[in-house]
Amino acid sequence: MKIETQRLTITEFDMSMAESVHKESLDEDNHRFVPDEVFETVEEASETLEFLIDVYEHGNGPLVYPVTLKDGTYIGYVQAVPFDDGTWEVGYHIGESYTKQGYATEAVTAFLPVIMKQIGITEIKGICLADNKASAKVMERCGFIKLSQGMGNYQGEDREICKFVYYLSPKDIVVKFFEDGYTKQNFDFVMTCMAENYIDHSPASARSNADAVGILKIVADQFSNLKVSVLDVFAEGSMVATRILYDGVHTGTCMGIPATGKHITFEALENFKVEKGKITESWGYWPDKEIEQKLKS
C-alpha cells in the first residue's frame, strides 16, 4: 500500500522503523487510552513489526500501516482491525510531537476508502473512550456518524465509550459493485454491498441481494472474459447514475440464442439508491434489441 496526501505518506512497515515506533508509542495518550500499544523497548516494537509485516502477506488483520511525513519521518499509524463477527474497526495514532496539526484527520480520511475497498467492506466502526475527545473529534471530521455513548467493554474493562460508524461513499460502492460483481465475480462483496431486501426495478426484477448474485452468475455464464468499464458516474446524496460499457465473448445461451463465440460490446444505463452503505434499489436499462441484433448478425 502507498497512499499520498498533501503532507503525508501511508505505506507499509519495515524493520528500520522499529526505533521510531518505540519512541512515538511512549506518549501520554497511548499510556492513558491504549496501553497495549505502548512499546517500552525497541525489541518489543521489533517483535510487533515482524508480526504486522507478516500479516500483509499471510493474515487477515490487523492491517496496520505507518504514517510518515514527506521526508520519511514516522509520526504514527492507521489501522483496520477485524472482529470475530466479520465487522472491522478503524484505529489511528499520531505521536504527541505531531498532534494538533490535522495529521490524524488527513491520514484517516485518505486511508478509509482505500482500505475498505481492499478488504471488501462498505462500513467500518470507530470506538473510543468517551473522555478521548481528540479521537472522537477526528472521527467526526472524517465523516463518521455517532451511534451511541454509554458503558461498554473496552479492552476487557467496563468503560464509557463512544461508538461511531463510517460508510463508503455511494459512488465508491457502486463502482466497486461493477468491478467486483461483473469483472472479478466476487459475489461475496455483492452480498455485502447490497441490502437483503434490495429491489431491482428493471425487467430482471431481483428482490434480494441473493437474487442479484443469481443474475450476475447468469450473465457470467452468457459472456466470458467479461469486462465492465464505468464510463460516467454521477452521485448526489443517496443516488448514483452510471453509464456502463460491457465487453465480452458470447459463450452461453443469451435471449434464446446459443453461444456464438462472438465478441460484442454494448452500453447500459443504470441508476442506484445507496443507504447506510448498502445498495437498496436500482433502475437499469440494457439495450436488448441491440444485443440480440449483434448476436444474430
Side-chain angles (χ1 to χ4, degrees), residues 200-251:
D200 178 5
H201 296 281
S202 76
S205 299
R207 287 298 180 267
S208 69
N209 53 359
D211 285 353
V213 168
I215 293 169
L216 288 170
K217 289 181 177 179
I218 290 173
V219 175
D221 288 339
Q222 294 172 334
F223 296 96
S224 63
N225 299 320
L226 185 62
K227 296 180 181 178
V228 174
S229 302
V230 180
L231 301 180
D232 294 306
V233 56
F234 305 95
E236 183 172 348
S238 64
M239 300 302 298
V240 181
T242 66
R243 181 169 67 96
I244 309 298
L245 176 67
Y246 292 83
D247 183 312
V249 178
H250 179 216
T251 52

Side-chain angles (χ1 to χ4, degrees), residues 120-122 173 176-177 180 186-193:
I121 58 175
T122 59
I173 290 172
K176 187 166 175 59
F177 160 74
D180 282 43
N186 177 7
F187 302 128
D188 287 341
F189 177 75
V190 176
M191 292 293 290
T192 296
C193 78

Side-chain angles (χ1 to χ4, degrees), residues 143-157:
F144 279 80
I145 300 168
K146 188 175 182 179
L147 300 176
S148 65
Q149 179 173 334
M151 301 304 292
N153 183 281
Y154 187 83
Q155 297 188 348
E157 297 182 17

Side-chain angles (χ1 to χ4, degrees), residues 78-271:
V78 287
Q79 65 179 358
V81 181
F83 290 121
D84 291 338
D85 63 0
T87 61
W88 290 73
E89 177 189 3
V90 71
Y92 45 87
H93 175 254
I94 297 296
E96 190 172 13
S97 303
Y98 304 96
T99 58
K100 299 181 180 179
Q101 299 180 61
Y103 289 138
T105 299
E106 186 173 333
V108 173
T109 298
F111 176 65
L112 285 172
V114 175
I115 195 64
M116 292 173 72
K117 291 176 189 177
Q118 176 180 312
I119 297 170
I121 58 175
T122 59
E123 65 180 80
I124 192 166
K125 297 177 180 178
I127 302 172
C128 69
L129 290 172
D131 58 350
N132 191 349
K133 305 297 184 182
S135 185
K137 186 173 291 186
V138 167
M139 284 190 275
E140 290 169 353
R141 288 173 175 169
C142 292
F144 279 80
I145 300 168
K146 188 175 182 179
L147 300 176
S148 65
Q149 179 173 334
M151 301 304 292
N153 183 281
Y154 187 83
Q155 297 188 348
E157 297 182 17
D158 196 27
R159 305 282 297 275
E160 186 176 7
I161 59 176
C162 295
K163 293 183 178 181
F164 296 81
V165 66
Y166 175 91
Y167 299 112
L168 200 61
S169 75
K171 179 179 177 180
D172 284 339
I173 290 172
V174 168
V175 170
K176 187 166 175 59
F177 160 74
F178 281 111
E179 293 172 349
D180 282 43
Y182 286 98
T183 301
K184 298 179 182 177
Q185 296 181 22
N186 177 7
F187 302 128
D188 287 341
F189 177 75
V190 176
M191 292 293 290
T192 296
C193 78
M194 289 189 149
E196 291 184 8
N197 59 347
Y198 158 75
I199 297 175
D200 178 5
H201 296 281
S202 76
S205 299
R207 287 298 180 267
S208 69
N209 53 359
D211 285 353
V213 168
I215 293 169
L216 288 170
K217 289 181 177 179
I218 290 173
V219 175
D221 288 339
Q222 294 172 334
F223 296 96
S224 63
N225 299 320
L226 185 62
K227 296 180 181 178
V228 174
S229 302
V230 180
L231 301 180
D232 294 306
V233 56
F234 305 95
E236 183 172 348
S238 64
M239 300 302 298
V240 181
T242 66
R243 181 169 67 96
I244 309 298
L245 176 67
Y246 292 83
D247 183 312
V249 178
H250 179 216
T251 52
T253 301
C254 176
M255 299 179 180
I257 303 171
T260 62
K262 292 181 178 178
H263 174 261
I264 71 165
T265 63
F266 59 90
E267 291 185 14
L269 303 175
E270 302 195 43
N271 300 329

